[in-house]
Amino acid sequence: MSKNLPQVSSYIASNSTYFLKSILHREKTYTLVSDKHGKVIYPHKPIKIIRNTCKLHGSSYQASLFQAKQFFGKNKHKLPIMIAYDFGDPCVLFPLFSPSSSQNIWISFQSIINIVEHNEETIVTFLDGSEERLPLHCKSFNHQYVRASMFYKHLILKRNATL
């Protein structure tokens, strides 16, 4: 765990969030949070941030997952979810691995500006120009990104239909 990064006791994900990355330190899982303000350490798993954000906005992780399953089909896994509406814009995050995995990384769909394959990994560039090397084949990452894009578009169209 990086000793140079500040630790926060709470964090609510938003469209300012870039990613929530699980990191292990002394057999405990923490979260490396990256957003437009920089990076901080949160002393719990990323799924706790997801659950707390959904709860703060009057929903739940299970309800968000149900909404995604309604769109993609019930037998899908590693689904993108909408955790909030941030100033009317759906905040969609997608997991790179199983959400229950201690190695999972949640990526904010709206924060990505470039995706590059590098050997067996993927390098993602975010809105502020920062990059993160992710331990996942680019093809797998792109598959997750496309699903998040489809879900985001569905949410926008659904919202616009009610206006």
Side-chain angles (χ1 to χ4, degrees):
M1 187 165 76
S2 176
K3 295 177 183 169
N4 299 339
L5 296 176
Q7 187 167 323
V8 296
S9 59
S10 66
Y11 185 84
I12 300 300
S14 68
N15 283 337
S16 296
T17 303
Y18 296 162
F19 65 83
L20 307 172
K21 183 178 183 179
S22 295
I23 55 174
L24 291 174
H25 179 65
R26 297 186 182 157
E27 299 182 29
K28 183 173 176 0
T29 303
Y30 291 77
T31 302
L32 172 62
V33 175
S34 177
D35 65 21
K36 72 177 188 177
H37 304 291
K39 293 181 179 179
V40 295
I41 301 294
Y42 176 72
H44 301 284
K45 296 177 182 178
I47 194 70
K48 185 163 183 166
I49 293 173
I50 301 294
R51 290 181 192 282
N52 288 347
T53 301
C54 290
K55 188 182 212 180
L56 178 75
H57 293 286
S59 188
S60 69
Y61 172 69
Q62 291 303 323
S64 296
L65 195 56
F66 177 80
Q67 181 184 35
K69 286 182 178 183
Q70 290 294 107
F71 180 71
F72 289 105
K74 296 195 185 305
N75 294 326
K76 303 285 186 201
H77 58 283
K78 296 192 291 181
L79 293 174
I81 61 168
M82 180 192 62
I83 58 170
Y85 271 102
D86 194 358
F87 297 102
D89 192 27
C91 182
V92 174
L93 276 71
F94 60 96
L96 296 186
F97 307 107
S98 169
S100 60
S101 168
S102 63
Q103 297 175 2
N104 189 33
I105 303 167
W106 288 88
I107 306 289
S108 172
F109 165 73
Q110 295 93 318
S111 68
I112 297 170
I113 60 170
N114 197 24
I115 302 164
V116 176
E117 182 176 8
H118 182 73
N119 298 327
E120 303 292 313
E121 298 178 318
T122 303
I123 299 174
V124 177
T125 306
F126 296 98
L127 292 170
D128 66 354
S130 66
E131 294 181 341
E132 187 70 17
R133 188 177 297 237
L134 302 170
L136 186 72
H137 289 274
C138 198
K139 183 177 179 179
S140 295
F141 185 91
N142 286 339
H143 179 73
Q144 293 298 96
Y145 180 79
V146 166
R147 288 206 304 189
S149 174
M150 290 168 49
F151 191 52
Y152 177 79
K153 187 172 186 176
H154 163 74
L155 294 168
I156 291 291
L157 292 172
K158 191 173 166 184
R159 185 195 67 192
N160 289 344
T162 62
L163 295 179

